[in-house]
Structure formats: C-alpha cells, structure tokens
Amino acid sequence: MQFVKLKSKLPEEDILDRANERKPEFEAIPGLLQKYYVKMAGEGNYGGIYVWDNKESLIAFKASDLAKSIPQAYKVVEAPNVEIMDILFQLRN
C-alpha cells in the first residue's frame, strides 16, 4: 500500500475536477486494485491511498509519466510525503 500526502495551492473544486479528469488513466494502471482520494485537516492538504496487487506494480507506477505528472497536475507546493506499507492482512475479502 502506498500513501501519498501533498499540499496544493488549488481550491478543492479544482482538485476534484482534475482528479475526475485523470480517473480513467488511474483506472487503467496494471496492478492498482484501489485508490482512495482523501482530504486531510488543514487547508490544501490532500492525499491518495493506493492499494497494489504487488510491489512490482507499485515500482512500475512510480516510474511512469502519470506518477511523475502528479505534482504539476495538482500544483503541489511542497515535496509530497510518500509512505509505503506492507499489508499484513485484510479484515474482509
């Protein structure tokens, strides 16, 4: 699992518009099982929680043009904070 936290100077409406425009590109990523778009406390704080089928899919995504386009697409004002976690087990199937 990958958790990306970013700070944007865009208004929330623009964030949502851009996320929806880019949604088909993310839906087409091999190995991406789910992506959650989240808003955190504090103005301009957003994130994405990605659930991958395996580490190789995550590595391939990180090297992709789509991943590299995230800071520009969302007008990120600081370096994103990226955390990678291993899922030990899930509650439900």
Side-chain angles (χ1 to χ4, degrees):
M1 185 166 62
Q2 176 185 24
F3 183 28
V4 178
K5 297 183 264 184
L6 57 86
K7 185 163 184 74
S8 174
K9 61 183 176 182
L10 294 175
E12 185 172 335
E13 183 177 316
D14 290 351
I15 292 284
L16 292 172
D17 288 345
R18 289 174 190 220
N20 281 306
E21 288 169 7
R22 295 164 59 89
K23 186 178 173 185
E25 295 175 81
F26 282 91
E27 289 174 328
I29 297 171
L32 181 58
L33 302 175
Q34 185 58 271
K35 180 178 179 189
Y36 298 95
Y37 297 82
V38 298
K39 179 180 179 183
M40 294 169 288
E43 188 173 335
N45 294 314
Y46 298 94
I49 300 169
Y50 301 74
V51 180
W52 298 98
D53 63 352
N54 59 51
K55 192 171 188 171
E56 291 75 25
S57 297
L58 164 63
I59 291 168
F61 170 69
K62 286 173 62 174
S64 72
D65 289 339
L66 182 58
K68 293 174 186 172
S69 73
I70 291 171
Q72 178 61 31
Y74 294 103
K75 304 295 184 208
V76 174
V77 295
E78 303 172 353
N81 181 349
V82 180
E83 297 180 40
I84 308 297
M85 296 154 257
D86 291 325
I87 298 173
L88 298 175
F89 70 94
Q90 65 185 34
L91 176 63
R92 295 185 174 88
N93 291 328

